[in-house]
């Protein structure tokens, strides 16, 4: 992956997708694209807006970008991430949940889940738990990836 003639990362597409070195690389691969949120780590907890979404080890308090791959969202009535539901698109074996969140850096978030997942399409909101291995943290200034371990 190159940016302005400078190599950002070299690797097989799936390796780069799963382990991006920076925010540019994370946003480069994937359809639908990675959802990016402004977040913050405080006291070992990752916040997106007011939602405490993950407990982390070994990450200092700081503002971050939170990247969540479309397959990293788990619809969960008691999940910590709250979004406004805008619609559901049937794609065959999967569905795309279209939602918004005030902390998102783009207007629409697309979450890909199994078509077997029951989603109330008349609801105004949807809540998610997150798959930690599909969540990436990036330093807000350098946009370099921050390694973490979820508790």
């Amino acid at each position: 992956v190159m940016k302005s003639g400078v190599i950002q990362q070299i690797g097989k597409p799936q390796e780069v997708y799963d382990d991006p070195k920076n925010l540019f690389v994370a946003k480069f691969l994937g359809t639908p694209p990675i959802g990016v949120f402004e977040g913050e780590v405080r006291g070992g907890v990752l916040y997106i807006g007011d939602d405490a979404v993950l407990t982390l080890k070994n990450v200092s308090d700081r503002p971050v970008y939170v990247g969540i791959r479309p397959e990293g969202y788990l619809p969960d009535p008691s999940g910590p991430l709250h979004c406004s539901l805008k619609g559901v698109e049937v794609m065959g074996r999967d569905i795309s949940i279209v939602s918004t969140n005030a902390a998102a850096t783009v207007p629409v978030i697309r979450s890909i889940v199994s078509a077997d997942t029951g989603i109330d399409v008349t609801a105004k909101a949807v809540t998610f738990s997150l798959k930690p291995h599909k969540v990436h943290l990036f330093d807000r200034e350098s946009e370099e990836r921050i390694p973490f371990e979820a508790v």
Side-chain angles (χ1 to χ4, degrees), residues 7-83:
I7 295 173
Q8 300 294 302
Q9 187 169 348
I10 297 172
K12 294 177 182 174
Q14 192 65 50
E15 292 170 357
V16 173
Y17 180 85
D18 290 336
D19 192 21
K21 294 199 182 268
N22 59 43
L23 185 58
F24 177 83
V25 171
K27 290 162 75 174
F28 187 80
L29 284 177
T31 303
I34 192 167
V36 180
F37 302 82
E38 291 183 352
E40 185 174 1
V41 177
R42 291 192 316 259
V45 177
L46 174 61
Y47 289 89
I48 294 175
D50 293 329
D51 295 338
V53 297
L54 287 176
T55 302
L56 308 175
K57 287 169 59 172
N58 306 324
V59 180
S60 61
D61 290 1
R62 64 172 100 177
V64 294
Y65 286 117
V66 183
I68 307 171
R69 291 288 183 202
E71 66 277 11
Y73 301 85
L74 295 167
D76 177 354
S78 58
L81 180 61
H82 297 80
C83 296

Side-chain angles (χ1 to χ4, degrees), residues 56-123:
L56 308 175
K57 287 169 59 172
N58 306 324
V59 180
S60 61
D61 290 1
R62 64 172 100 177
V64 294
Y65 286 117
V66 183
I68 307 171
R69 291 288 183 202
E71 66 277 11
Y73 301 85
L74 295 167
D76 177 354
S78 58
L81 180 61
H82 297 80
C83 296
S84 296
L85 182 63
K86 298 302 177 192
V88 173
E89 298 173 357
V90 177
M91 302 175 356
R93 70 181 175 110
D94 296 324
I95 59 174
S96 176
I97 300 170
V98 181
S99 63
T100 61
N101 181 290
T105 62
V106 295
V108 173
I109 304 156
R110 292 190 179 272
S111 313
I112 304 299
V113 299
S114 169
D116 296 333
T117 305
I119 300 294
D120 179 2
V121 297
T122 65

